[in-house]
Amino acid sequence: MIQILTPAASQLLSTLEAVRAEVGAADLSDDAAGTLLAQASSALGRHCRRSFGRVTLLETVYPDRDWEVVLSALPIGAVVEVTADGVPLPPERWELDPGAGVLQRLDPDGCMRRWCTRRLVVQYTAGWLLPGQEGRDLPAEVERACLLTIAAWHAARGRDPLMRSESYEGIGSTSWLDPREGSEALPPQAAGLLAEYRLGRS
């Protein structure tokens, strides 16, 4: 069971300035750039089945004598508190692998032991700090995927939404998708950049 204590301050995966630079439209209004950015950020979130922004969570798990507890939200920024059966555990009595979200119990000698606990409550932060936020750590390829999506949508304005590609003899071909189709309406290059960040993928 997960409870959101502090929601993400933003879900925007880039900035207005970066959007203008990507589409080559310095005179693009704040409203127009903001709309494109919000729509693309939302589409990437749906495509990846996750929220990218940094949140604070309270997760309750029932270890049942397991050696490891795997927390649900990744990546983990920091663990604020671990409580076992209502008793806070000091940091030296547990160890976290933040990349895998694996929490292990330690004995007084620092050796791993089973979680002989009925109810474990972990308060932690997960997700990334986004562009425009101090200390941003969102992976560059995620922002790049957002900007590629925006550029494709902006370039497709006024085109037949049923068309998917254009070919130019001696030059090559260009493909695009209609953004009205939802979370899957991403350029192939953007989808490729997001492959490792998509949850629940087969």
Coordinates of all heavy atoms in Angstrom, one line a residue, residues 76-143:
I76 N 14.7 5.6 -6.2 CA 14.6 6.1 -4.9 C 15.6 7.2 -4.6 O 16.8 7.0 -4.9 CB 14.7 5.0 -3.8 CG1 13.6 4.0 -4.0 CG2 14.8 5.6 -2.4 CD1 13.7 2.8 -3.1
G77 N 15.2 8.4 -4.2 CA 16.1 9.5 -3.9 C 16.7 9.3 -2.5 O 17.9 9.4 -2.3
A78 N 15.8 9.1 -1.5 CA 16.3 9.0 -0.1 C 15.2 8.3 0.7 O 14.1 8.5 0.5 CB 16.7 10.4 0.5
V79 N 15.7 7.6 1.7 CA 14.7 7.0 2.7 C 14.7 8.0 3.9 O 15.7 8.3 4.5 CB 15.2 5.6 3.1 CG1 14.3 5.1 4.3 CG2 15.1 4.6 2.0
V80 N 13.5 8.4 4.3 CA 13.3 9.3 5.4 C 13.3 8.6 6.7 O 13.9 8.9 7.7 CB 12.1 10.2 5.2 CG1 11.9 11.1 6.4 CG2 12.2 11.0 3.9
E81 N 12.5 7.5 6.7 CA 12.3 6.7 8.0 C 11.8 5.3 7.6 O 11.1 5.1 6.7 CB 11.3 7.4 8.9 CG 11.1 6.8 10.2 CD 10.1 7.5 11.1 OE1 9.0 7.7 10.7 OE2 10.5 7.9 12.2
V82 N 12.3 4.4 8.4 CA 11.9 3.0 8.4 C 11.3 2.6 9.7 O 12.0 2.7 10.7 CB 13.0 2.0 8.0 CG1 12.5 0.6 8.0 CG2 13.6 2.4 6.6
T83 N 10.1 2.1 9.8 CA 9.4 1.8 11.0 C 9.0 0.3 11.0 O 8.2 -0.1 10.0 CB 8.2 2.7 11.3 OG1 8.6 4.0 11.3 CG2 7.5 2.3 12.6
A84 N 9.4 -0.5 11.9 CA 9.1 -1.9 12.0 C 8.1 -2.1 13.2 O 8.5 -1.9 14.3 CB 10.3 -2.7 12.2
D85 N 6.9 -2.5 12.9 CA 5.9 -2.8 13.9 C 5.8 -1.6 14.9 O 5.7 -1.7 16.1 CB 6.2 -4.0 14.7 CG 6.1 -5.3 13.9 OD1 5.2 -5.3 12.9 OD2 6.8 -6.3 14.1
G86 N 5.8 -0.4 14.3 CA 5.6 0.9 15.0 C 6.8 1.4 15.7 O 6.8 2.5 16.3
V87 N 8.0 0.7 15.5 CA 9.2 1.2 16.2 C 10.2 1.7 15.1 O 10.6 0.9 14.2 CB 9.9 0.0 17.0 CG1 11.2 0.5 17.6 CG2 8.9 -0.5 18.0
P88 N 10.6 2.9 15.1 CA 11.6 3.4 14.1 C 12.9 2.7 14.2 O 13.4 2.5 15.3 CB 11.7 4.9 14.5 CG 10.5 5.3 15.3 CD 10.2 4.0 16.0
L89 N 13.4 2.3 13.1 CA 14.7 1.7 13.0 C 15.8 2.7 12.7 O 15.7 3.5 11.7 CB 14.7 0.6 11.9 CG 13.8 -0.6 12.2 CD1 14.0 -1.6 11.0 CD2 14.2 -1.3 13.5
P90 N 16.9 2.7 13.4 CA 18.0 3.6 13.1 C 18.6 3.2 11.8 O 18.6 2.0 11.4 CB 19.0 3.4 14.3 CG 18.7 2.1 14.8 CD 17.2 1.9 14.6
P91 N 19.3 4.2 11.1 CA 19.8 3.9 9.7 C 20.8 2.8 9.7 O 21.0 2.1 8.7 CB 20.5 5.2 9.3 CG 19.7 6.2 10.1 CD 19.4 5.6 11.4
E92 N 21.5 2.5 10.8 CA 22.5 1.5 10.8 C 21.9 0.1 10.9 O 22.6 -0.9 10.8 CB 23.5 1.7 12.0 CG 22.9 1.6 13.4 CD 22.5 3.0 13.9 OE1 22.3 3.9 13.0 OE2 22.3 3.1 15.1
R93 N 20.6 0.0 11.1 CA 19.9 -1.3 11.2 C 19.3 -1.7 9.9 O 18.5 -2.7 9.8 CB 18.9 -1.3 12.3 CG 19.5 -1.1 13.7 CD 20.6 -2.1 14.0 NE 20.1 -3.4 14.0 CZ 19.5 -4.0 15.1 NH1 19.4 -3.3 16.2 NH2 19.1 -5.2 15.1
W94 N 19.5 -1.0 8.8 CA 19.0 -1.4 7.5 C 19.9 -0.8 6.4 O 20.7 0.1 6.6 CB 17.5 -0.9 7.3 CG 17.3 0.6 7.5 CD1 16.8 1.1 8.7 CD2 17.5 1.7 6.7 NE1 16.7 2.5 8.6 CE2 17.1 2.9 7.4 CE3 17.9 1.8 5.3 CZ2 17.2 4.1 6.8 CZ3 18.0 3.1 4.8 CH2 17.6 4.2 5.5
E95 N 19.8 -1.4 5.2 CA 20.6 -1.0 4.1 C 19.8 -1.0 2.8 O 18.9 -1.9 2.6 CB 21.8 -2.0 3.9 CG 22.8 -1.6 2.8 CD 24.0 -2.5 2.8 OE1 23.8 -3.7 2.4 OE2 25.1 -2.1 3.2
L96 N 19.9 0.1 2.0 CA 19.2 0.2 0.8 C 20.0 0.2 -0.5 O 21.1 0.8 -0.5 CB 18.4 1.6 0.8 CG 17.6 2.0 -0.4 CD1 16.4 1.1 -0.6 CD2 17.3 3.4 -0.4
D97 N 19.5 -0.5 -1.5 CA 20.1 -0.4 -2.8 C 19.1 0.5 -3.6 O 18.0 0.0 -4.0 CB 20.1 -1.8 -3.5 CG 20.7 -1.8 -4.9 OD1 20.7 -0.7 -5.5 OD2 21.0 -2.8 -5.5
P98 N 19.4 1.8 -3.7 CA 18.5 2.7 -4.3 C 18.1 2.4 -5.8 O 17.0 2.7 -6.2 CB 19.2 4.1 -4.2 CG 20.6 3.7 -4.1 CD 20.7 2.4 -3.4
G99 N 19.0 1.9 -6.5 CA 18.7 1.6 -7.9 C 17.7 0.5 -8.1 O 16.8 0.5 -8.9
A100 N 17.8 -0.6 -7.2 CA 16.9 -1.7 -7.3 C 15.7 -1.6 -6.4 O 14.7 -2.3 -6.5 CB 17.6 -3.0 -7.0
G101 N 15.8 -0.6 -5.4 CA 14.7 -0.4 -4.4 C 14.7 -1.5 -3.4 O 13.6 -1.7 -2.8
V102 N 15.8 -2.2 -3.2 CA 15.8 -3.3 -2.2 C 16.3 -2.8 -0.9 O 17.4 -2.2 -0.7 CB 16.8 -4.4 -2.7 CG1 17.0 -5.5 -1.7 CG2 16.3 -5.0 -4.0
L103 N 15.5 -3.1 0.1 CA 15.7 -2.8 1.5 C 16.0 -4.0 2.3 O 15.3 -5.0 2.3 CB 14.5 -2.0 2.1 CG 14.7 -1.4 3.5 CD1 15.7 -0.2 3.4 CD2 13.4 -0.9 4.0
Q104 N 17.2 -4.1 3.0 CA 17.6 -5.2 3.8 C 17.8 -4.9 5.2 O 18.2 -3.7 5.6 CB 18.9 -5.8 3.2 CG 18.8 -6.3 1.8 CD 20.2 -6.7 1.2 OE1 21.2 -6.2 1.6 NE2 20.2 -7.7 0.3
R105 N 17.5 -5.8 6.1 CA 17.6 -5.6 7.6 C 19.0 -6.0 8.0 O 19.6 -7.0 7.5 CB 16.6 -6.5 8.3 CG 16.6 -6.4 9.8 CD 16.0 -5.1 10.3 NE 16.1 -5.0 11.7 CZ 15.1 -5.3 12.6 NH1 14.0 -5.8 12.1 NH2 15.2 -5.1 13.8
L106 N 19.7 -5.3 8.9 CA 21.0 -5.6 9.4 C 20.9 -5.8 10.9 O 20.2 -5.2 11.6 CB 21.9 -4.4 9.1 CG 22.1 -4.0 7.6 CD1 23.1 -2.8 7.5 CD2 22.7 -5.2 6.8
D107 N 21.8 -6.7 11.3 CA 21.9 -6.9 12.8 C 22.9 -6.0 13.4 O 23.5 -5.2 12.6 CB 22.2 -8.4 13.1 CG 23.6 -8.8 12.6 OD1 24.5 -7.9 12.3 OD2 23.9 -10.0 12.5
P108 N 23.1 -5.9 14.7 CA 24.1 -5.0 15.3 C 25.5 -5.1 14.7 O 26.3 -4.1 14.8 CB 24.0 -5.3 16.8 CG 22.7 -5.9 17.0 CD 22.4 -6.7 15.7
D109 N 25.9 -6.2 14.2 CA 27.2 -6.4 13.6 C 27.3 -6.0 12.1 O 28.3 -6.2 11.5 CB 27.7 -7.9 13.7 CG 27.8 -8.3 15.2 OD1 28.3 -7.4 16.0 OD2 27.5 -9.4 15.5
G110 N 26.1 -5.5 11.6 CA 26.1 -5.1 10.2 C 25.9 -6.3 9.2 O 26.0 -6.1 8.0
C111 N 25.5 -7.5 9.7 CA 25.2 -8.6 8.8 C 23.7 -8.6 8.5 O 22.9 -8.3 9.3 CB 25.6 -9.9 9.5 SG 27.4 -10.0 9.9
M112 N 23.4 -9.1 7.3 CA 22.0 -9.2 6.9 C 21.3 -10.2 7.6 O 21.8 -11.3 7.9 CB 22.0 -9.5 5.4 CG 20.6 -9.3 4.8 SD 20.6 -9.5 2.9 CE 20.9 -11.3 2.8
R113 N 20.0 -9.9 8.0 CA 19.1 -10.8 8.7 C 17.7 -10.8 8.1 O 17.4 -9.9 7.3 CB 19.1 -10.5 10.2 CG 18.7 -9.1 10.5 CD 18.5 -8.9 12.0 NE 17.4 -9.6 12.5 CZ 16.9 -9.5 13.7 NH1 17.4 -8.6 14.5 NH2 15.8 -10.1 14.1
R114 N 16.9 -11.7 8.4 CA 15.5 -11.7 7.9 C 14.7 -10.6 8.6 O 15.0 -10.1 9.7 CB 14.8 -13.0 8.2 CG 15.4 -14.2 7.4 CD 14.6 -15.5 7.7 NE 15.1 -16.6 7.1 CZ 14.8 -17.0 5.8 NH1 13.9 -16.3 5.1 NH2 15.3 -18.1 5.3
W115 N 13.7 -10.1 7.8 CA 12.8 -9.1 8.3 C 11.8 -9.9 9.2 O 10.7 -10.3 8.8 CB 12.1 -8.4 7.2 CG 12.9 -7.4 6.5 CD1 13.5 -7.5 5.4 CD2 13.2 -6.1 7.0 NE1 14.2 -6.3 5.1 CE2 14.0 -5.4 6.1 CE3 12.8 -5.3 8.2 CZ2 14.5 -4.1 6.2 CZ3 13.3 -4.0 8.3 CH2 14.1 -3.4 7.3
C116 N 12.0 -10.1 10.5 CA 11.1 -10.7 11.4 C 10.1 -9.6 11.9 O 10.1 -9.3 13.1 CB 11.9 -11.4 12.6 SG 13.0 -12.7 12.0
T117 N 9.4 -9.1 11.0 CA 8.5 -8.0 11.2 C 7.2 -8.2 10.6 O 7.1 -8.7 9.4 CB 9.1 -6.7 10.7 OG1 10.4 -6.5 11.2 CG2 8.3 -5.5 10.9
R118 N 6.1 -8.0 11.3 CA 4.8 -8.1 10.7 C 4.4 -7.0 9.7 O 3.8 -7.2 8.7 CB 3.7 -8.2 11.8 CG 3.8 -9.5 12.6 CD 2.6 -9.6 13.5 NE 2.4 -8.5 14.4 CZ 3.1 -8.5 15.6 NH1 3.8 -9.5 16.0 NH2 2.9 -7.4 16.4
R119 N 4.8 -5.8 10.1 CA 4.4 -4.6 9.3 C 5.6 -3.6 9.3 O 6.1 -3.2 10.3 CB 3.2 -3.9 10.0 CG 2.6 -2.7 9.2 CD 1.3 -2.3 9.9 NE 0.6 -1.2 9.2 CZ 0.8 0.1 9.6 NH1 1.5 0.4 10.6 NH2 0.2 1.0 8.9
L120 N 5.9 -3.3 8.0 CA 7.0 -2.4 7.8 C 6.5 -1.2 7.1 O 5.8 -1.3 6.0 CB 8.1 -3.1 7.0 CG 9.5 -2.4 6.8 CD1 10.2 -2.4 8.2 CD2 10.3 -3.0 5.8
V121 N 6.8 0.0 7.6 CA 6.4 1.3 7.0 C 7.6 2.1 6.6 O 8.5 2.3 7.4 CB 5.5 2.1 7.9 CG1 5.1 3.4 7.2 CG2 4.3 1.3 8.3
V122 N 7.7 2.4 5.3 CA 8.9 3.1 4.8 C 8.5 4.5 4.2 O 7.6 4.5 3.3 CB 9.7 2.3 3.8 CG1 11.0 3.0 3.3 CG2 10.0 0.9 4.3
Q123 N 9.1 5.5 4.7 CA 8.8 6.9 4.1 C 10.0 7.2 3.3 O 11.2 7.2 3.7 CB 8.6 7.9 5.2 CG 8.3 9.3 4.6 CD 8.1 10.4 5.7 OE1 7.8 10.0 6.8 NE2 8.2 11.6 5.3
Y124 N 9.8 7.5 2.0 CA 11.0 7.8 1.1 C 10.6 8.7 -0.1 O 9.4 8.9 -0.3 CB 11.6 6.5 0.6 CG 10.6 5.6 -0.3 CD1 10.8 5.6 -1.7 CD2 9.7 4.8 0.3 CE1 10.0 4.9 -2.5 CE2 8.9 4.0 -0.5 CZ 9.0 4.0 -1.9 OH 8.2 3.3 -2.7
T125 N 11.6 9.2 -0.7 CA 11.3 10.0 -1.9 C 11.7 9.2 -3.1 O 12.6 8.3 -3.1 CB 12.2 11.3 -1.9 OG1 13.6 11.0 -1.9 CG2 11.9 12.2 -0.7
A126 N 10.9 9.4 -4.2 CA 11.2 8.7 -5.5 C 10.9 9.6 -6.7 O 10.2 10.6 -6.6 CB 10.2 7.5 -5.5
G127 N 11.5 9.2 -7.8 CA 11.4 10.0 -9.0 C 12.6 11.0 -9.1 O 13.5 10.9 -8.4
W128 N 12.5 11.9 -10.1 CA 13.6 12.8 -10.4 C 13.2 14.3 -10.2 O 12.0 14.6 -10.2 CB 14.0 12.6 -11.8 CG 14.6 11.3 -12.2 CD1 15.9 11.0 -12.1 CD2 14.0 10.2 -12.7 NE1 16.2 9.7 -12.5 CE2 15.0 9.2 -12.9 CE3 12.6 9.9 -13.1 CZ2 14.7 7.9 -13.4 CZ3 12.4 8.6 -13.6 CH2 13.4 7.6 -13.8
L129 N 14.2 15.1 -10.0 CA 14.0 16.5 -10.1 C 14.1 16.9 -11.5 O 15.0 16.5 -12.3 CB 15.1 17.3 -9.3 CG 15.1 17.0 -7.8 CD1 16.3 17.6 -7.1 CD2 13.8 17.6 -7.1
L130 N 13.1 17.7 -12.0 CA 12.9 18.0 -13.4 C 13.6 19.2 -13.9 O 14.0 20.1 -13.1 CB 11.4 18.0 -13.7 CG 10.6 16.8 -13.2 CD1 9.1 16.9 -13.6 CD2 11.1 15.5 -13.8
P131 N 13.7 19.4 -15.2 CA 14.3 20.6 -15.7 C 13.6 21.9 -15.2 O 12.4 21.9 -15.1 CB 14.1 20.5 -17.2 CG 14.0 19.0 -17.5 CD 13.4 18.4 -16.3
G132 N 14.4 22.8 -14.8 CA 13.8 24.0 -14.2 C 13.9 24.0 -12.7 O 13.7 25.0 -12.0
Q133 N 14.1 22.8 -12.1 CA 14.1 22.7 -10.7 C 15.6 22.6 -10.2 O 16.5 22.1 -10.9 CB 13.4 21.4 -10.2 CG 11.9 21.4 -10.5 CD 11.2 20.1 -10.0 OE1 11.8 19.1 -10.1 NE2 10.0 20.3 -9.5
E134 N 15.9 23.2 -9.1 CA 17.3 23.2 -8.6 C 17.7 21.7 -8.3 O 17.0 20.9 -7.7 CB 17.3 24.0 -7.3 CG 18.7 24.1 -6.7 CD 18.8 25.0 -5.5 OE1 17.7 25.5 -5.1 OE2 19.9 25.1 -4.9
G135 N 18.9 21.4 -8.8 CA 19.5 20.1 -8.7 C 18.9 19.1 -9.6 O 19.0 17.9 -9.3
R136 N 18.3 19.5 -10.7 CA 17.7 18.6 -11.6 C 18.6 17.3 -11.9 O 19.8 17.4 -12.1 CB 17.3 19.3 -12.9 CG 18.5 19.7 -13.8 CD 18.2 19.6 -15.3 NE 18.1 18.2 -15.8 CZ 17.7 17.9 -17.0 NH1 17.3 18.8 -17.8 NH2 17.7 16.7 -17.4
D137 N 17.9 16.2 -11.9 CA 18.6 14.9 -12.2 C 17.8 14.0 -13.1 O 18.2 12.9 -13.3 CB 19.0 14.2 -10.9 CG 17.8 13.9 -10.0 OD1 16.6 14.2 -10.5 OD2 18.0 13.3 -8.9
L138 N 16.8 14.6 -13.8 CA 16.1 13.8 -14.8 C 17.1 13.4 -15.9 O 17.9 14.2 -16.4 CB 15.0 14.6 -15.4 CG 14.2 13.9 -16.5 CD1 13.2 12.9 -15.9 CD2 13.4 14.9 -17.3
P139 N 17.1 12.1 -16.3 CA 18.0 11.6 -17.3 C 17.8 12.4 -18.6 O 16.7 12.7 -19.0 CB 17.6 10.2 -17.5 CG 17.0 9.7 -16.2 CD 16.3 11.0 -15.7
A140 N 18.9 12.8 -19.2 CA 18.9 13.6 -20.4 C 18.1 13.0 -21.5 O 17.4 13.7 -22.3 CB 20.3 13.9 -20.9
E141 N 18.1 11.7 -21.6 CA 17.4 11.1 -22.7 C 15.8 11.2 -22.6 O 15.1 11.2 -23.6 CB 17.7 9.6 -22.9 CG 17.6 8.7 -21.7 CD 18.9 8.6 -20.9 OE1 19.6 9.6 -20.8 OE2 19.1 7.5 -20.3
V142 N 15.4 11.3 -21.3 CA 13.9 11.5 -21.1 C 13.5 12.9 -21.6 O 12.5 13.1 -22.3 CB 13.6 11.4 -19.6 CG1 12.1 11.7 -19.4 CG2 13.9 9.9 -19.2
E143 N 14.3 13.9 -21.3 CA 14.0 15.3 -21.8 C 14.1 15.3 -23.3 O 13.3 16.0 -24.0 CB 14.9 16.3 -21.1 CG 14.6 17.8 -21.6 CD 15.4 18.8 -21.0 OE1 16.4 18.5 -20.3 OE2 15.1 20.0 -21.2

